[in-house]
Amino acid sequence: MLALPFLAAAAAAAVTHSAIAVPSTALDGVVKPTTGLGPWCDGVENPLGDVDDFVLGVFNITNGQVSSFGDSLVAAPTDPDGPLAAKQKYLATFSSYPHKFLATFSLIDGRLVTQNVSTIHPTISINVQEGYEVILATRQVATTGDGFPQQFCGAGGTSTHPPLLAVNGDTAGWSLCYEPSPGIMNLVWRPQPGFYYEFDTCYPVQVQLMI
């Protein structure tokens, strides 16, 4: 697996766009899964089926070009000191939440699932809507997510570029935005003013499946 190394220390000011010294390299070859394709991949060019064991890499595209260096995403508590700490997770940059737990993922039947707990207490994507952070919810039973929305799909992947993460058929609506409480940079789909994150800190990113 081609994975993004994690930073040794957190960036104290999460608003700054800390980078990691990992290039946006492509896969040598892509094997397209034959299972896991469904309506959640409608509108996605060259869709992938189920994909196991990947890291999510995020790369700044503010200037219309994909940055040469990026960050990785990990599952971070939405409410670190409250009752939801163990139940709901944001997708946050590792530089703003430097913890390796819940740092690899799978796509299973249109759902984004944390790879390292998927057979015990799986953490699974819940409904992704415009303007909202991506949130994962922890199930108390071993399941891949029956009843959870099916919205995610891998897009393409060639000898020159890794696959991209799509939600609701869209790969271009991703941004990172600063959430002052708990003080992390979160993945948001089509950010808008008036949410918990600070809208003026948002910047567009490309989300790659580093397989």
Side-chain angles (χ1 to χ4, degrees):
M1 181 182 82
L2 174 64
L4 296 174
F6 296 97
L7 291 172
V15 178
T16 61
H17 304 162
S18 301
I20 56 179
V22 176
S24 175
T25 53
L27 300 173
D28 292 332
V30 175
V31 177
K32 290 190 61 175
T34 57
T35 60
L37 290 174
W40 50 89
C41 289
D42 287 353
V44 174
E45 185 176 355
N46 194 23
L48 301 177
D50 292 347
V51 184
D52 287 330
D53 195 20
F54 56 82
V55 170
L56 288 171
V58 285
F59 296 85
N60 194 328
I61 55 172
T62 299
N63 299 319
Q65 299 291 327
V66 180
S67 174
S68 298
F69 299 95
D71 209 334
S72 56
L73 294 175
V74 297
T78 60
D79 183 22
D81 301 317
L84 294 179
K87 296 180 180 179
Q88 291 189 358
K89 313 287 184 183
Y90 289 130
L91 280 182
T93 61
F94 180 78
S95 59
S96 67
Y97 186 77
H99 299 271
K100 295 181 182 180
F101 185 59
L102 304 186
T104 56
F105 302 88
S106 294
L107 287 174
I108 303 174
D109 290 333
R111 304 175 181 99
L112 186 66
V113 181
T114 51
Q115 173 70 12
N116 44 349
V117 293
S118 60
T119 59
I120 304 173
H121 299 298
T123 306
I124 305 167
S125 55
I126 60 178
N127 192 28
V128 180
Q129 302 179 62
E130 289 191 28
Y132 286 89
E133 300 95 331
V134 176
I135 294 180
L136 309 177
T138 301
R139 294 290 298 268
Q140 298 305 309
V141 295
T143 175
T144 56
D146 291 345
F148 278 48
Q150 295 166 286
Q151 297 176 280
F152 286 90
C153 185
T158 69
S159 60
T160 58
H161 203 286
L164 302 181
L165 183 68
V167 67
N168 299 323
D170 177 30
T171 61
W174 298 119
S175 288
L176 288 175
C177 303
Y178 179 65
E179 178 103 21
S181 177
I184 54 181
M185 294 294 290
N186 290 333
L187 187 67
V188 179
W189 185 51
R190 298 182 180 178
Q192 303 171 10
F195 286 80
Y196 290 113
Y197 51 85
E198 296 181 352
F199 178 71
D200 60 357
T201 68
C202 297
Y203 61 96
V205 294
Q206 185 179 87
V207 184
Q208 300 180 4
L209 277 61
M210 312 302 289
I211 300 173

